[in-house]
Amino acid sequence: MTKDTSNQMWGGRFAAGPDAIMEAINASIGFDQRMAAQDIAGSRAHAAMLAKTGILTDTDAEAIREGLLTVLSEIESGTFEFSTALEDIHMNVEARLKDLIGEPAGRLHTGRSRNDQVATDFKLWVRDQIDAAISGIEALIRAFVAQAEVGADWVMPGFTHLQTAQPVTWGHHMMAYVEMFGRDLSRFKDARVRMNESPLGAAALAGTSFPIDRAMTAEALGFDRPAANSLDAVADRDFALEFLSAASICAMHLSRFAEELVIWSSAQFRFVTLSDRFSTGSSIMPQKKNPDAAELIRAKIGRIFGANTALLMVMKGLPLTYSKDMQEDKEQVFDAADNLMLALAAMEGMVKDMTANRDSLEAAAGSGFSTATDLADWLVRALNMPFRDAHHVTGSLVALAESKGCDLPDLTLEDMHSVHAAITEDVFGVLGVHNSVSSRMSYGGTAPTRVREQIAAWQAKLG
């Protein structure tokens, strides 16, 4: 076998053979360096606790503290040299700390393991992302509330099956998304409460014989308490899965509104005009204004869904406690978090900048026999007709209007009498779209009064 043939099995960068492949598959520094700040925060808390409990001298603890601050400064300034041979962020930081302060660096790892260290770092990183997501969702909700306030009494068609159903208000439609993203907000907040337990001090899996104070490190890192079981502390990735689950539901909501923006901004609908900041032109068709930001949000959401599924697949077959499979927990979460925050920011910008076209909305609101339900309700109220009979009469009137090429309000009283002789002129008072939305006064309904109540309630919540 020639040399060239033997190297084909390894391919370009792995021409050196199995050692290069093992280093590449084993190392995580290419992505887990994103947790540098969290890793150093955890190490500083651990060193302070070791000194407080007498496991570490104050002199060594001070040297470690100063050394870790130097390492953090180097990383933040971009001068730190990461090494693949050192595998991960933990060993890279520890090796550089040893270069800086010598022997005391070797004492830092007393009473802990990379297993509880990585669990702590990752949990701190995810917690930071939850906080960022909460802020991003709140900003998006404010943008929807502002749109709702402007158009609380503007009429538009409400849809089922993407077919005109009943008139609603623009404000009511905007507030529907406020409720959706409000649930996302509560999911992230709820997940944050549940995950806020510190793994640090669980060590490899069984705890440690050193007299450490896990409550002290938990408090220093902003956790509510230490995790109660050392096996679970190092094996748990539920916090990442909950983040991805909440992110996936939030992403689904983003995609639903992105789809509406794509439809609404089309020449066929003209419900909204998107700003130039979130649109692009065509290379060949000068008239085009494409809703690219909305389309990209709609597409990027798949990456968040994929990350959720991928981590579930990683975790589903793992016995307690730590397995190297769990190194594959981070890249998906990092990517999902990046794409969620980008999508939230882009959607907030589009919602803030978009202009609802009131005339187009109102023209569409009255099409498609959208007040048919109002007519049926009037027959029940005014003529004491059973609703099923009223439904049948209304259907006959819709068919009549279709045959005449007009809408229900355009039928004459004589036309209506041809279907049911007891109908009076009062019926025309419920057939206009503004009359229709104003009548929907039930709690949670589309009446402008109710919409403004919803807006006020959310403004109070948001502060």
Side-chain angles (χ1 to χ4, degrees):
M1 184 180 290
T2 66
K3 181 179 180 181
D4 287 342
T5 303
S6 66
N7 283 339
Q8 285 176 4
M9 67 185 295
W10 307 119
R13 63 178 294 199
F14 298 124
D19 289 347
I21 291 180
M22 185 57 200
E23 181 176 293
I25 198 171
N26 193 49
S28 59
I29 190 59
F31 51 86
D32 71 12
Q33 60 186 261
R34 293 183 62 160
M35 301 191 302
Q38 289 79 17
D39 188 73
I40 289 171
S43 290
R44 290 182 63 193
H46 187 66
M49 179 274 295
L50 292 177
K52 181 74 178 295
T53 54
I55 299 170
L56 201 65
T57 66
D58 290 339
T59 301
D60 283 351
E62 179 62 18
I64 289 170
R65 189 186 76 83
E66 292 297 325
L68 287 170
L69 289 176
T70 299
V71 174
L72 181 61
S73 177
E74 290 176 352
I75 292 172
E76 290 178 341
S77 66
T79 61
F80 189 95
E81 294 185 11
F82 292 101
S83 167
T84 304
L86 291 170
E87 296 184 11
D88 57 30
I89 185 61
H90 325 297
M91 297 306 294
N92 270 263
V93 169
E94 189 172 324
R96 179 58 181 148
L97 184 63
K98 186 175 182 181
D99 291 341
L100 291 169
I101 68 171
E103 182 183 3
R107 303 184 189 281
L108 174 59
H109 211 51
T110 307
R112 74 174 184 184
S113 160
R114 273 197 291 181
N115 290 356
D116 63 330
Q117 188 178 0
V118 68
T120 302
D121 292 0
F122 194 26
K123 187 171 277 194
L124 288 171
W125 192 92
V126 170
R127 191 177 69 186
D128 289 344
Q129 295 307 301
I130 288 177
D131 290 342
I134 288 170
S135 295
I137 293 169
E138 287 178 342
L140 178 57
I141 288 174
R142 291 179 194 279
F144 274 112
V145 169
Q147 282 284 352
E149 194 166 24
V150 169
D153 57 357
W154 297 3
V155 290
M156 66 174 290
F159 297 95
T160 60
H161 310 281
L162 203 55
Q163 307 292 317
T164 298
Q166 294 177 269
V168 296
T169 56
W170 171 259
H172 197 51
H173 199 110
M174 294 297 99
M175 292 305 294
Y177 281 97
V178 169
E179 293 296 323
M180 287 188 204
F181 289 110
R183 291 191 295 273
D184 293 325
L185 198 62
S186 69
R187 270 184 282 271
F188 279 113
K189 289 180 177 180
D190 186 51
R192 193 190 195 285
V193 170
R194 190 162 30 255
M195 61 95 75
N196 207 33
E197 296 182 343
S198 173
L200 193 57
L205 76 162
T208 177
S209 59
F210 290 97
I212 62 172
D213 185 346
R214 293 188 63 209
M216 178 181 172
T217 52
E219 182 178 2
L221 294 171
F223 289 112
D224 295 327
R225 65 191 70 82
N229 183 284
S230 62
L231 296 170
D232 178 59
V234 299
D236 169 43
R237 291 299 183 272
D238 288 1
F239 61 91
L241 286 166
E242 282 203 68
F243 170 76
L244 290 176
S245 178
S248 293
I249 298 172
C250 181
M252 176 267 292
H253 292 151
L254 288 168
S255 187
R256 292 186 74 175
F257 192 64
E259 173 72 3
E260 296 213 292
L261 287 180
V262 171
I263 294 170
W264 289 355
S265 62
S266 69
Q268 290 72 27
F269 274 73
R270 300 184 186 276
F271 282 6
V272 299
T273 301
L274 299 178
S275 74
D276 291 346
R277 295 200 308 153
F278 295 98
S279 306
T280 64
S282 166
S283 64
I284 191 172
M285 294 168 285
Q287 84 281 10
K288 294 293 292 298
K289 184 177 182 181
N290 300 323
D292 281 14
E295 292 172 352
L296 286 166
I297 288 173
R298 192 174 58 185
K300 283 180 177 294
I301 295 321
R303 293 167 68 166
I304 299 173
F305 292 174
N308 192 21
T309 301
L311 186 53
L312 284 167
M313 293 301 291
V314 167
M315 298 301 298
K316 73 173 183 63
L318 299 186
L320 295 180
T321 56
Y322 182 84
S323 298
K324 194 67 171 181
D325 310 51
M326 292 165 71
Q327 184 168 290
E328 292 297 306
D329 59 0
K330 297 172 195 65
E331 285 182 282
Q332 298 98 326
V333 177
F334 293 162
D335 186 73
D338 289 346
N339 281 284
L340 177 66
M341 293 310 301
L342 181 58
L344 282 169
M347 186 61 81
E348 181 206 353
M350 280 190 289
V351 173
K352 285 174 70 173
D353 287 3
M354 72 181 180
T355 301
N357 301 324
R358 184 176 185 178
D359 291 343
S360 296
L361 291 168
E362 183 159 348
S367 66
F369 310 105
S370 64
T371 56
T373 306
D374 297 276
L375 174 54
D377 288 347
W378 181 87
L379 293 170
V380 171
R381 287 195 307 271
L383 305 184
N384 198 29
M385 189 181 294
F387 183 82
R388 286 302 170 202
D389 293 345
H391 187 282
H392 177 75
V393 169
T394 301
S396 298
L397 289 168
V398 167
L400 177 61
E402 275 186 320
S403 69
K404 295 173 72 71
C406 66
D407 209 340
L408 286 173
D410 302 318
L411 292 174
T412 66
L413 185 59
E414 184 180 357
D415 291 331
M416 293 192 181
H417 283 164
S418 70
V419 174
H420 198 285
I423 296 175
T424 69
E425 287 188 359
D426 292 345
V427 71
F428 293 103
V430 301
L431 292 181
V433 291
H434 286 282
N435 291 332
S436 175
V437 296
S438 295
S439 71
R440 306 293 173 182
M441 286 289 291
S442 58
Y443 178 78
T446 193
T449 300
R450 292 287 174 258
V451 172
R452 291 189 176 100
E453 288 173 356
Q454 295 172 38
I455 291 168
W458 270 99
Q459 287 172 333
K461 282 183 192 177
L462 293 168

